[in-house]
Structure formats: C-alpha cells, structure tokens
Amino acid sequence: MADLRASVPEYDKEDGEYKVKVICLGDSAVGKSKLVERFLMDGYQPQQLSTYALTLFRYQTEVGGKDVCVDFWDTAGQERFNNMHPSYYYQAHCCILVFDVTRKVTYKNLPNWFKELRQYRPEIPCLVCANKIDDVDYKVTQKSFNFAKKHQLPFYFVSASDGTNVVKMFREAIQSAVGYKENTTDFTDLVMRELENLDDLSLSNDVDSGVDTAGNSAETHTDEADEEQAEGATGTT
Amino acid sequence: MHHGSNWYCCRHFWPIFGLLEKFSCLQKTSLVVADTETGTMNPQFDSIGKQFVDFYYKAFDANRSELAGLYRPHSMMTFEGVQLQSAEAIMQKLVSLPFQKVQHVVTTVDCQPTTDGGVLVMVVGQLKTDDDPPHGFSQTFVLNNDGSNWFIFSDLFRLVVHSV
C-alpha cells in the first residue's frame, strides 16, 4: 500500500520542509473552496486527489522568519453523501470551520462538525468563519453567533467574493497551525514526535545512510506509531 | 427543479418500460428457463438491466423524487453503509441529499439473472454534484417483477472514495 499512499503528503516527517496541514470543514456549498481560492488568488493550481475525493492547495509562506509550506485540505464534496473519513483529520494542525450566513442550517450543523473534529483532533486550533456576508445586509455582522463564543473559538465574518477578512483569517489559521505544531501537548502528536526522534537517532548511527533509507524507515515508523496510538488509547480508557 | 422533464416521470415511463420488456420477451419461444439447479431465470436479464439503468439515472438527474414508483414497501437500500427499508425511507434519503444539480455518467453495466426471475445489476460510473469535482460511484441493484412491473428490491450505493 506504500505506493498507493505516496500521493498523499505526510506532515509529521521532517524531510527538510516544514509542513503544516490546515483542513476546511463545514456543510456543502458554504464556500470552503472559494475562501481558499480567494486567499491564494490567481496562479495556484489546486491538486485534485480524486481517488480520495480531496482537493489540496499548497502555499509557501513565512512565519516568524521560518519558511513554512501550508497545505489547505478541502473536501471536494463527499460530505454530501457521508461522514468525512478519519484520514481527512489525520495529522491536521488547524481547522477552519465555515458556515454560510444566508443558510441557517449550515450554522446549525456547526456543532456536528465540531464534535467530529474533536473526536479525531481533540486539541488543534479551530477558527469559525461566517461566510457570504456580502450576500446579505452587512448588519448581519452585528448579529451574535454564539457557537464560537461558547467554545471560545476565534470568529470571523468573511466574504470569499469581496475578500473581507479573508487574508486576516488565513494568516491567523497558518500561525495557529505552526503554533500548534511547535507546542502540541496532544498525546498522539507527542508519540509521533518521539518516534521521529528515534528515527533520527537510528539514522545517525547508520553510516552514510542515504535519503532513500530515511524515507523508508520513516514510513515503517509511521506504521508503528499507529499501533502505539492504539495501545495508548486502550490504555487510557 | 427541472421543469419540462416530466416526460420521464416514473408514472408514465416505468409501466412502458415494463411493457417493452414483456413484448420483447414474447418474441422468444421460451420466456423463462426453468431448471432444477438454476431455478427460473429470465433470459432477457441483460436488456432489462440496461434499460433499467438508462431509465434510473435519467430520472434521478431530472427529478429524483419521481423514483418513488420504483421502490416498494419491502425494498431495501444500503446507502454509504446506512441501511434503509421501504420506499418512503429510501425516498426521504434520496430527496434530502444536499445538492441542487446532479449528473450521473455510467461507465459500465453488468447484469446477471437471479434464480427467481429477477436481475442483478452492477453499475460503475461517475457523478457530479453542483460545482464539485466528479466522483466515482458504484451501485448494485436487484430488480424483481411483481407480475406486471419491475421494481427495485435491493439497492446498494457507494462513492468510490478511498481512505489515505
């Protein structure tokens, strides 16, 4: 299966590039893709991973003087048919939770999305966006949407079509993602990091181990990490 | 919804489909093949299956609420792993799917006769909802005949989406 998986990026492996994964969540047609496209503007070709029903947008930027490669994950519409597969959440560092101010049901569904997110990623930062504020009277921004307040999540009124707050919101998402990666206290993340460190040690003992070896051994350790997580989970319950 | 597509409404079209099938069967000397090992198989299984698929997705894409006539109280559906029974429950599921436009493009249809005179149909294709990228899907049906019309006894649907 290693070959089949090769098209999906890894985020816990440090192979020279500092990578973070930001996922977009929310009902169909709330404008998740449009927001990412607005932020990236022209010149970005999203990568369609149709086998997985995913769209990936890659963005290179700098956070605190450090080069960061950000992958925005978007759902490509399978959420219309079923729940998101757990792999969508896997290794995510930040979540942008979007609803459409013109469709109340998309706001009412936020708790469901949030619950599912927390099931897989209990501690990653999550931002809430009220999209399409250009579509209604801007007075909507005076309305209070309690969901974000209740869960103490940063909240933005945004418009993918006129750009209001889009850059600001995405900058915060990227910074939160990097901040999370740096300071995570999440158990599974720490296990992953430990395993990466072990990997580095074993590599440094290997004389002249090439890049290929590094790739292979990291792959093996990912599998071990899955087992480790499973054991950890049963141990704590 | 899609006005002007009512020509394809099940109430009009489905009985005709049933009649067509009966007429085409009459041209054969033996309508069904009875055998102790194979039961009663319908020799027209392939054309029945293909006509059905053609009709089903046209109706689904034009106005899926009109598919109601194809399901019966004992019909079963497994939609993305969720099990449903009865025309009512199935239609509620299909109608509530959150998209405005949908288009199915069928790649392959494979049919086999069942031993009780019904038809097993497996479809592989792609579908596109609203502005989303296309997804692969796989759908399997068991069609039965109540003596005058064909109906869907079993319906199993999956998007072909893999985990990473």
Side-chain angles (χ1 to χ4, degrees):
Chain A
M1 292 305 279
D3 288 338
L4 280 176
R5 290 178 57 117
S7 53
V8 180
E10 273 283 322
Y11 297 92
D12 287 333
K13 198 156 55 180
E14 297 307 333
D15 48 2
E17 232 177 356
Y18 190 88
K19 280 191 283 195
V20 290
K21 168 176 172 180
V22 177
I23 56 174
C24 303
L25 276 188
D27 282 7
S28 309
V30 293
K32 300 186 289 288
S33 316
K34 292 277 185 299
L35 280 169
V36 184
E37 282 162 11
R38 177 76 197 198
F39 174 64
L40 300 178
M41 298 300 277
D42 302 324
Y44 284 87
Q45 272 303 330
Q47 190 189 354
Q48 296 290 350
L49 299 180
S50 57
T51 315
Y52 312 108
L54 291 175
T55 310
L56 257 66
F57 299 83
R58 183 155 288 188
Y59 173 65
Q60 303 283 351
T61 187
E62 216 176 79
V63 176
K66 186 179 198 163
D67 286 329
V68 177
C69 172
V70 187
D71 274 348
F72 294 105
W73 284 46
D74 191 17
T75 59
Q78 79 271 38
E79 75 279 13
R80 296 181 202 264
F81 294 88
N82 53 28
N83 294 334
M84 297 304 301
H85 192 274
S87 57
Y88 189 72
Y89 299 98
Y90 179 69
Q91 296 183 334
H93 300 102
C94 178
C95 170
I96 299 173
L97 189 53
V98 188
F99 72 99
D100 172 354
V101 287
T102 67
R103 286 188 299 142
K104 203 171 182 179
V105 64
T106 66
Y107 176 71
K108 288 201 160 165
N109 281 334
L110 290 183
N112 302 332
W113 288 112
F114 191 63
K115 192 178 159 200
E116 193 170 290
L117 170 72
R118 286 304 180 226
Q119 194 184 329
Y120 297 107
R121 299 298 278 156
E123 293 182 15
I124 63 167
C126 177
L127 284 67
V128 181
C129 287
N131 191 26
K132 306 195 187 177
I133 54 163
D134 57 289
D135 252 28
V136 287
D137 196 316
Y138 273 89
K139 277 186 190 139
V140 73
T141 56
Q142 288 157 21
K143 263 171 86 174
S144 70
F145 292 94
N146 278 322
F147 175 81
K149 204 182 284 170
K150 186 179 158 197
H151 296 279
Q152 296 180 301
L153 306 172
F155 180 80
Y156 291 89
F157 285 105
V158 297
S159 162
S161 66
D162 72 13
T164 306
N165 277 340
V166 169
V167 171
K168 200 173 161 196
M169 184 274 288
F170 275 95
R171 287 309 307 176
E172 170 155 355
I174 294 166
Q175 273 165 13
S176 310
V178 171
Y180 176 80
K181 189 167 178 162
E182 293 294 293
N183 303 308
T184 180
T185 53
D186 183 88
F187 177 70
T188 55
D189 291 340
L190 292 174
V191 170
M192 292 300 284
R193 189 169 293 176
E194 280 307 305
L195 287 167
E196 291 302 327
N197 290 340
L198 283 176
D199 199 38
D200 291 344
L201 283 175
S202 64
L203 277 182
S204 57
N205 292 337
D206 265 359
V207 184
D208 289 336
S209 55
V211 177
D212 283 342
T213 324
N216 289 337
S217 54
E219 190 98 14
T220 332
H221 280 281
T222 310
D223 291 336
E224 279 175 29
D226 286 336
E227 284 166 30
E228 197 77 21
Q229 283 173 22
E231 277 170 31
T234 44
T236 48
T237 46
Chain B
M1 269 309 189
H2 301 262
H3 299 289
S5 321
N6 288 337
W7 288 106
Y8 296 98
C9 161
C10 297
R11 283 186 296 277
H12 303 299
F13 200 85
W14 189 240
I16 296 170
F17 165 60
L19 284 174
L20 280 177
E21 193 277 317
K22 266 192 269 177
F23 285 133
S24 60
C25 280
L26 284 171
Q27 289 160 7
K28 300 274 176 180
T29 45
S30 72
L31 290 182
V32 286
V33 181
D35 186 277
T36 47
E37 279 182 20
T38 58
T40 309
M41 299 199 296
N42 193 317
Q44 303 297 314
F45 67 89
D46 204 50
S47 65
I48 293 166
K50 283 175 178 152
Q51 281 182 68
F52 161 76
V53 166
D54 189 47
F55 170 75
Y56 183 86
Y57 294 111
K58 266 184 194 148
F60 196 114
D61 295 354
N63 181 1
R64 58 190 181 275
S65 65
E66 291 182 351
L67 294 171
L70 302 187
Y71 296 96
R72 298 291 153 88
H74 56 289
S75 295
M76 292 182 285
M77 171 182 263
T78 308
F79 190 93
E80 287 291 321
V82 178
Q83 297 197 338
L84 305 156
Q85 186 165 29
S86 85
E88 199 189 350
I90 292 168
M91 289 317 296
Q92 198 177 357
K93 177 70 189 174
L94 293 182
V95 170
S96 69
L97 290 170
F99 44 74
Q100 305 304 310
K101 283 179 298 179
V102 57
Q103 188 194 359
H104 291 79
V105 178
V106 172
T107 309
T108 57
V109 183
D110 296 307
C111 307
Q112 285 190 3
T114 63
T115 53
D116 59 356
V119 183
L120 176 64
V121 186
M122 186 184 100
V123 182
V124 170
Q126 293 183 82
L127 59 81
K128 186 170 161 45
T129 48
D130 296 340
D131 296 329
D132 297 331
H135 298 302
F137 75 92
S138 168
Q139 195 160 11
T140 303
F141 300 94
V142 174
L143 308 178
N144 280 340
N145 195 303
D146 64 5
S148 52
N149 282 315
W150 288 91
F151 65 93
I152 301 168
F153 178 64
S154 295
D155 179 347
L156 302 99
F157 174 89
R158 279 281 178 186
L159 279 189
V160 181
V161 173
H162 299 278
S163 55
V164 290

